[in-house]
Amino acid sequence: MRPFHEHRNGWMRRLSALHNELISRAWGTPNRFDDRVPLMYQGASDDMLPAHGPSYLPDEADDIDLEAEVAVVVDDVPMGVRADAGLEHIKLIMLANDVSLRAYGRREMQSGFGFLQAKPSTVFSPLAVTPDELGRAWQRGRLLRSVTVRVNGRWVGSPNAAHMTFSFGELIAHAARTRRLRAGTIIGSGTVSDPDRTAGSATIVELQAVEKFEYGDVRTPFLKFGDRVEIEMLDESGVPLFGRIDHRVLKSVADAEATSHA
């Protein structure tokens, strides 16, 4: 187990099948997911945030959301690696809050060029662990534990990360299909989503989709400035595997932001 420090290499993540299906049904939008090919994009890797943030953002009107997910760090991966061999390149596993601005998401997806403004800086867990440290919780490139999300101390969900459509080996093979991946590249699982709706959600937009099905309207707002986001994953003894992501969402002010990142 070791503290996670920022890597200046690629940050790639995929979109979750369960999550996408639920959102598409709720809002009547096309589901771009294909269960044969991962839906993946390459995010920014030049400004990653520590577990305790804070996360500075420009405007609450951008519909600020959280996305709890699992992420892995790889060593040098050759182009064309197979999925089974891809697993051997995973060196560290951690959690991430892939912060999202939903007001930009639909427009940028429809553009066909992928996310830019919709995806500000990602927050990572304070600890990253090697696969062997996870024991039976790590099987065939999936992490078989629940991730718990709270906002301002209120439970949002504890979905199980085992429900990945594609294993991390398959995601690595997909990302390396036409290029090498350099050591330090981070691959994200996509938003953790659970078919058991009593498990709650790992993102507000999914929770809103469930509310729309159940009540006919949305009852949970997106994040506001000052809100506190907590994300953790516990082992069988109730001990956090990766420490805890625990950060606040704050209004972006140039001086404060520069001091925080110094």
Side-chain angles (χ1 to χ4, degrees), residues 40-41 78 81 165 178 192:
M40 183 180 288
Y41 71 90
V81 70
T165 304
T178 59
V192 177

Side-chain angles (χ1 to χ4, degrees), residues 121-134:
S121 301
T122 302
V123 182
F124 289 93
S125 58
L127 298 176
V129 306
T130 55
D132 61 289
E133 293 180 274
L134 295 172

Side-chain angles (χ1 to χ4, degrees), residues 86-229:
L87 290 176
E88 301 302 316
H89 292 279
I90 296 175
K91 298 305 174 184
L92 294 170
I93 303 166
M94 57 191 175
L95 297 180
N97 178 10
D98 184 38
V99 180
S100 296
L101 302 180
R102 300 298 183 187
Y104 296 106
R106 180 178 298 185
R107 183 196 71 197
E108 291 191 336
M109 286 190 72
Q110 291 175 343
S111 75
F113 281 90
F115 294 125
L116 179 64
Q117 294 177 338
K119 293 294 181 179
S121 301
T122 302
V123 182
F124 289 93
S125 58
L127 298 176
V129 306
T130 55
D132 61 289
E133 293 180 274
L134 295 172
R136 292 178 300 173
W138 179 252
Q139 295 186 29
R140 298 181 298 279
R142 292 175 172 84
L143 186 51
L144 313 185
R145 302 297 299 174
S146 297
V147 59
T148 295
V149 177
R150 294 182 179 86
V151 175
N152 298 326
R154 172 178 170 265
W155 181 82
V156 175
S158 297
N160 197 305
H163 300 289
M164 290 175 63
T165 304
F166 300 98
S167 71
F168 273 108
E170 291 170 307
L171 297 182
I172 292 168
H174 177 75
R177 177 66 182 85
T178 59
R179 60 170 131 172
R180 297 175 296 169
L181 305 181
R182 303 314 304 244
T185 297
I186 301 170
I187 306 287
S189 65
T191 308
V192 177
S193 191
D194 197 316
D196 179 3
R197 295 317 315 160
T198 64
S201 298
T203 180
I204 292 173
V205 73
E206 185 177 287
L207 182 60
Q208 291 177 344
V210 173
E211 292 172 341
K212 189 171 182 181
F213 282 128
E214 293 184 352
Y215 311 118
D217 60 1
V218 170
R219 301 186 176 186
T220 301
F222 287 113
L223 298 175
K224 304 296 183 183
F225 293 140
D227 283 349
R228 179 185 181 189
V229 176

Side-chain angles (χ1 to χ4, degrees), residues 4-12 43-51 94 120-124 184-186 261:
F4 174 68
H5 299 287
E6 180 176 333
H7 288 266
R8 294 285 180 174
N9 293 327
W11 162 225
M12 303 176 185
S45 59
D46 58 340
D47 186 32
M48 299 178 181
L49 298 181
M94 57 191 175
S121 301
T122 302
V123 182
F124 289 93
T185 297
I186 301 170
H261 292 185

Side-chain angles (χ1 to χ4, degrees), residues 206-256:
E206 185 177 287
L207 182 60
Q208 291 177 344
V210 173
E211 292 172 341
K212 189 171 182 181
F213 282 128
E214 293 184 352
Y215 311 118
D217 60 1
V218 170
R219 301 186 176 186
T220 301
F222 287 113
L223 298 175
K224 304 296 183 183
F225 293 140
D227 283 349
R228 179 185 181 189
V229 176
E230 297 174 87
I231 300 172
E232 63 183 352
M233 181 178 284
L234 306 180
D235 66 13
E236 295 177 350
S237 302
V239 176
L241 287 166
F242 309 99
R244 178 188 298 168
I245 293 175
D246 185 350
H247 71 101
R248 291 191 182 274
V249 176
L250 300 178
K251 171 72 174 176
S252 177
V253 179
D255 292 342

